[in-house]
Amino acid sequence: MTQALRDPKTVRRRHDREIVSLAVPAFGALVAEPLFVIVDSAIVGHLGTPQLAGLGVAAALLMTAVSVFVFLAYATTAAVARRVGAGDMASAIRQGMDGIWLALLLGIAVVAVTLPAAPWLIDIFGASDTAAPYAITYLRISSLGIPAMLIVLAATGVLRGLQDTRTPLYVAIGGFAANAALNVGLVYGAGLGIAGSAWGTVIAQCGMAVAYLIVVVRGARKHGASLRPDTAGIRASAQAGVPLLVRTLSLRAVLLIATAVAARLGDAEIAAHQIVLSLWSLMAFALDAIAIAGQAIIGRYLGAGDADGARQVCRRMVQWGIASGVVLGLLIVATRPLFLPLFTGDSVVHDTLLPVLLVVALSQPIAGVVFVLDGVLMGAGDGRYLAGAMLVTLTVFAPVALLVPTLGGGLTALWWAMTLMMAVRMLTLWHRTRSGRWIVTGASR
């Protein structure tokens, strides 16, 4: 290796190029995903309020189901990236196929449960008598697309592991365009109403799954990887995903507790909370894009046996996370007068929002570190630690958040509790990365 290649500035530039080349397309794909629901809402909203209310309930159930299985993308990314780093492309794609087969099996199981249970699930969510029939229709039809949605998650993980985030972006854009066109055609052109919206989404999701499978199958044929289901491989993928499932469920519990507490504070507080949570989620997309780059790059370095390279890129990504958090925090503060009127004209909600947004802005650098280190440890396949750390975080957050209505402080106090949650996550993840125990080299952990 030449002196130029060992130069710190040269190394940083190389890491920066890698991070940007993976993170920017990943961000585009992440933003495109929620647009499915937005398009459906815009089109169905013109059918009537009961139809829109039904869509809202059904979409919430579907999004929850998909978020629970996001480990299909995370675990597959790490496993595939390690084998790419080890130079074994056939094994990398074989590992990815195991994840895809697992996604298909889980998707079929979810459909088998959802179809008969749809009325019960809608009732639990408290849909009104007028909205419930539409919600049940949408949920039953849309559930048929869940296997495709889960295959998309797993296949996205395969391509990320192969250091390709551009193809997921292109597929997401194509899926979004197809979904919009199909919804308009089936809802209004064919006169199918809310059922047309559901079928349009299912068809678009199936098309996305087919596009991903074509890319993966081509890669398998090119590198001589088997496409047949392998029981041992599928079982290993499932075992790798369990800790990440625990982590995801713990994080979902944090968000549900926060929403439940906000609802107890009053109508203005829950309205403001939903606005802040939407903005917080948007900020998370930007930071999660860096985390996705971290998963792919760290997995590749460890698979190649380059522990020093993994440490260096980890440090650089932490710097990216902090800088991104600072920029996002400043944007929140600077653009408050512009975006607040877009959400509500209620002066009480405005007054409630202002101090909360300052808290969120201050917490963004912490969030930047959390997302990056989360991605680093996922890329290292350190799922068990991530699960344990998130359970610790939930244990600390829950009692603090639940005491907010009693102790006072309103929504601002609740979001300070959310900031505490992120700080605890940062400390647990920072401790792990500093220890070096996450660094396990080789084609598998």
Side-chain angles (χ1 to χ4, degrees):
M1 184 180 291
T2 66
Q3 183 64 35
L5 291 177
R6 289 196 300 265
D7 178 68
K9 291 183 178 180
T10 302
V11 172
R12 282 198 301 271
R13 284 196 294 268
R14 187 173 72 248
H15 290 328
D16 290 345
R17 284 195 298 270
E18 280 190 306
I19 294 167
V20 170
S21 66
L22 291 172
V24 172
F27 175 69
L30 288 169
V31 171
E33 290 170 9
L35 293 178
F36 271 76
V37 177
I38 293 174
V39 167
D40 287 3
S41 299
I43 294 172
V44 171
H46 291 285
L47 295 175
T49 300
Q51 289 91 330
L52 183 58
L55 170 66
V57 174
L61 283 164
L62 290 165
M63 292 302 293
T64 298
V66 174
S67 67
V68 165
F69 293 111
V70 73
F71 70 85
L72 289 166
Y74 293 157
T76 305
T77 297
V80 171
R82 274 185 175 270
R83 285 159 177 79
V84 169
D88 190 350
M89 291 295 293
S91 177
I93 296 176
R94 173 66 264 176
Q95 182 75 31
M97 284 305 305
D98 291 336
I100 291 172
W101 281 111
L102 174 63
L104 177 61
L105 293 174
L106 290 173
I108 292 171
V110 173
V111 172
V113 172
T114 303
L115 286 177
W120 176 73
L121 291 170
I122 295 300
D123 184 59
I124 285 179
F125 266 63
S128 67
D129 291 340
T130 54
Y134 297 110
I136 292 169
T137 296
Y138 191 90
L139 180 60
R140 279 181 166 160
I141 296 173
S142 293
S143 68
L144 299 175
I146 289 178
M149 294 168 72
L150 299 191
I151 287 173
V152 166
L153 282 177
T156 300
V158 175
L159 295 181
R160 288 173 181 171
L162 295 172
Q163 318 295 295
D164 176 9
T165 56
R166 291 184 180 274
T167 299
L169 172 60
Y170 300 147
V171 174
I173 292 172
F176 167 71
N179 180 59
L182 286 165
N183 268 258
V184 171
L186 294 175
V187 171
Y188 299 116
L192 296 179
I194 196 170
S197 176
W199 279 117
T201 301
V202 169
I203 294 169
Q205 289 163 346
C206 290
M208 291 172 68
V210 169
Y212 273 116
L213 289 175
I214 289 172
V215 174
V216 174
V217 168
R218 283 177 179 172
R221 288 176 175 171
K222 178 180 178 181
H223 297 285
S226 173
L227 297 173
R228 295 180 180 179
D230 176 65
T231 303
I234 295 172
R235 188 184 303 114
S237 294
Q239 290 172 345
V242 168
L244 295 179
L245 175 61
V246 172
R247 168 203 167 273
T248 300
L249 290 174
S250 300
L251 182 56
R252 296 295 299 181
V254 165
L255 299 177
L256 288 173
I257 290 170
T259 300
V261 170
R264 292 175 61 189
L265 296 175
D267 289 346
E269 285 75 7
I270 186 61
H273 177 74
Q274 287 304 112
I275 293 172
V276 175
L277 196 60
S278 298
L279 291 170
W280 193 72
S281 299
L282 181 61
M283 301 300 103
F285 284 134
L287 299 174
D288 202 27
I290 303 174
I292 288 169
Q295 293 172 35
I297 297 170
I298 290 293
R300 193 188 77 233
Y301 271 100
L302 294 178
D306 189 353
D308 288 338
R311 289 190 187 93
Q312 290 173 3
V313 78
C314 174
R315 285 194 293 269
R316 189 57 178 163
M317 281 189 292
V318 168
Q319 293 169 359
W320 269 82
I322 294 171
S324 300
V326 170
V327 170
L328 291 173
L330 292 174
L331 279 174
I332 291 173
V333 174
T335 59
R336 281 182 305 165
L338 299 176
F339 67 73
L340 282 182
L342 298 176
F343 288 100
T344 178
D346 191 323
S347 60
V348 177
V349 176
H350 274 203
D351 293 341
T352 304
L353 273 171
L354 291 174
V356 176
L357 289 174
L358 290 176
V359 174
V360 173
L362 289 171
S363 70
Q364 287 306 296
I366 297 174
V369 175
V370 168
F371 275 82
V372 165
L373 294 183
D374 211 37
V376 166
L377 296 184
M378 282 185 191
D382 204 6
R384 288 188 179 182
Y385 184 84
L386 287 171
M390 198 62 228
L391 286 171
V392 169
T393 301
L394 175 60
T395 302
V396 173
F397 169 77
V400 175
L402 293 172
L403 282 172
V404 167
T406 302
L407 298 179
L411 192 65
T412 303
L414 176 60
W415 275 89
W416 276 118
M418 289 287 285
T419 302
L420 171 66
M421 178 271 295
M422 294 300 288
V424 173
R425 287 186 71 189
M426 183 180 71
L427 290 174
T428 56
L429 298 177
W430 184 266
H431 170 73
R432 185 64 167 182
T433 52
R434 290 284 292 176
S435 72
R437 293 177 183 174
W438 58 280
I439 299 176
V440 179
T441 59
S444 60
R445 185 175 174 84

